[in-house]
Amino acid sequence: MTSPALCIKQAVKTYANGFTALKGVSFSVQPGEFFGLLGPNGAGKTTLISAMAGLSRLTSGQISICGHDVQLEANTTRKLLGVVPQELVFDPFFNVREALKFQSGYFGQRNNDDWIDEIIAGLGLTDKADTNTRNLSGGMKRRVMVALALVHRPPVIVLDEPTAGVDVELRQNLWQFITRLNTDGHTIILTTHYLEEAQSLCNRIAMLKHGEIVALDSTRNLLDTETELRLALTTDQTLPDNLRHYLIKEDDNNHYLLKLADYNQLTALLQILQTQRINVINLNILENDLENVFLRLTSDHVKGTK
Ligand code: ADP
């Protein structure tokens, strides 16, 4: 059996000031997945990514990349992982191509020009290949950060908020290229604030809150959990009593917002409306999106959470 691309077992991180940012996080990502790691600010995503990258040590627990322990086999895991960090850090003396060649040499890959050309083209950097990195715009610098993380062809790619504050063109460009790498077999782990991006790209998602996993499921299952429905009845009608348990809210215009656990309940609801001869003016199913799921799971006011 092949090892998971990423395997995190009971990761605990307590900082020097006594604050515990990860409280026993466990999950694995299989090779070829496009995996989302989501959570509000302060959830512990960056802490977890630094531990994956071997930049900081866990207090306890274990992380492995393609079956190799990040602490015990740091030289191996460094080559297996490409991390695109949030902050823009460059050596100011190189142009784009030189920076990529230098980085490639650092990973011991010297005859890598074809791949460097491919990355440059894939990320829309062709026009800037000979420009000094310090003279690039913020968006272009961001592209170079992605290119630098990919230069050694890592099988596992971690993108930490890669599209924060970048324009639409770069986002599309970047996602096209990353999706292609994923199709070619690279495992992608993404953190992002743009939930619609996570929804359309990730096949599975972990949601982290206060250092704990609050959801871990396929994107499809997370979105399937509940359906909201808006129902408008004629003014002479009211919602039948046996539908009241679905009710979230009603307004003075005889509009009702209902919550269904799944689509099967919809059939039951339609039958009740029909047998009781309720006049429906309008009925629409509200598309569930990751934003709703995220808010529900990460809100501090949800029952049963801290
Ligand atoms: P995220 O990336 O999800 O926003 P972080 O991993 O950056 O979250 O932070 C998780 C928690 O750990 C936050 O409450 C943050 O303040 C705290 N934290 C991060 N770095 C340190 C540190 N060096 N010392 C103490 N606490 C820290």
Side-chain angles (χ1 to χ4, degrees):
M1 211 184 79
T2 47
S3 307
L6 167 70
C7 180
I8 301 177
K9 285 188 190 150
Q10 287 300 318
V12 173
K13 174 72 185 183
T14 302
Y15 282 109
N17 65 358
F19 180 78
T20 300
L22 298 174
K23 301 172 182 163
V25 170
S26 300
F27 64 88
S28 332
V29 178
Q30 297 309 316
E33 279 200 87
F34 203 131
F35 188 87
L37 178 63
L38 309 181
N41 282 336
K45 304 178 297 292
T46 310
T47 303
L48 193 57
I49 290 175
S50 336
M52 278 181 219
L55 299 173
S56 75
R57 258 179 189 276
L58 291 176
T59 308
S60 64
Q62 200 215 354
I63 301 181
S64 57
I65 311 287
C66 306
H68 300 274
D69 187 288
V70 296
Q71 289 299 334
L72 304 176
E73 300 167 82
N75 279 338
T76 307
T77 56
R78 203 165 49 85
K79 289 180 188 153
L80 294 168
L81 202 63
V83 181
V84 182
Q86 277 183 36
E87 66 287 3
L88 303 167
V89 270
F90 289 106
D91 192 317
F93 302 108
F94 290 135
N95 68 33
V96 172
R97 189 181 295 278
E98 286 164 350
L100 292 173
K101 280 194 170 187
F102 185 81
Q103 181 86 344
S104 196
Y106 174 72
F107 280 105
Q109 302 200 1
R110 287 179 215 287
N111 298 314
N112 207 12
D113 286 357
D114 289 351
W115 176 237
I116 289 177
D117 282 342
E118 208 175 319
I119 303 178
I120 287 178
L123 289 167
L125 281 164
T126 308
D127 293 349
K128 305 286 178 194
D130 300 321
T131 306
N132 190 296
T133 51
R134 98 191 125 195
N135 298 329
L136 295 172
S137 67
M140 286 294 163
K141 281 188 176 139
R142 171 77 52 198
R143 293 178 199 221
V144 179
M145 291 308 296
V146 177
L148 286 168
L150 299 180
V151 85
H152 57 294
R153 292 184 193 251
V156 185
I157 299 165
V158 179
L159 299 145
D160 190 6
E161 294 284 346
T163 50
V166 305
D167 57 67
V168 178
E169 193 198 337
L170 168 55
R171 274 208 233 174
Q172 286 173 347
N173 205 273
L174 181 65
W175 292 133
Q176 240 171 21
F177 190 58
I178 297 294
T179 304
R180 206 190 88 205
L181 293 177
N182 182 235
T183 313
D184 290 348
H186 293 259
T187 306
I188 314 289
I189 296 159
L190 165 72
T191 78
T192 180
H193 270 92
Y194 297 96
L195 295 179
E196 70 282 15
E197 272 179 4
Q199 184 172 334
S200 66
L201 293 162
C202 300
N203 65 302
R204 219 153 57 88
I205 285 174
M207 288 195 189
L208 202 59
K209 180 191 166 187
H210 296 326
E212 289 174 299
I213 298 282
V214 291
L216 175 65
D217 211 333
S218 67
T219 312
R220 177 182 295 241
N221 283 346
L222 285 173
L223 294 173
D224 263 0
T225 46
E226 348 186 283
T227 307
E228 285 184 5
L229 184 128
R230 217 192 304 271
L231 184 68
L233 305 181
T234 53
T235 44
D236 56 326
Q237 303 274 4
T238 53
L239 189 73
D241 283 345
N242 50 356
L243 292 183
R244 290 236 154 227
H245 59 285
Y246 294 132
L247 185 64
I248 304 174
K249 150 168 110 183
E250 65 181 289
D251 69 17
D252 298 340
N253 298 323
N254 230 11
H255 289 184
Y256 301 88
L257 184 65
L258 306 174
K259 186 184 278 186
L260 307 181
D262 54 45
Y263 280 103
N264 293 332
Q265 291 190 337
L266 183 62
T267 321
L269 176 132
L270 292 173
Q271 257 166 12
I272 291 170
L273 291 174
Q274 200 175 27
T275 46
Q276 302 202 14
R277 297 182 190 286
I278 305 289
N279 292 326
V280 175
I281 303 172
N282 204 343
L283 182 154
N284 46 68
I285 296 167
L286 306 178
E287 200 65 51
N288 201 4
D289 65 13
L290 209 49
E291 189 99 31
N292 289 339
V293 179
F294 184 80
L295 287 174
R296 188 158 44 76
L297 289 168
T298 60
S299 152
D300 276 323
H301 308 294
V302 177
K303 210 166 69 183
T305 60
K306 279 163 270 166

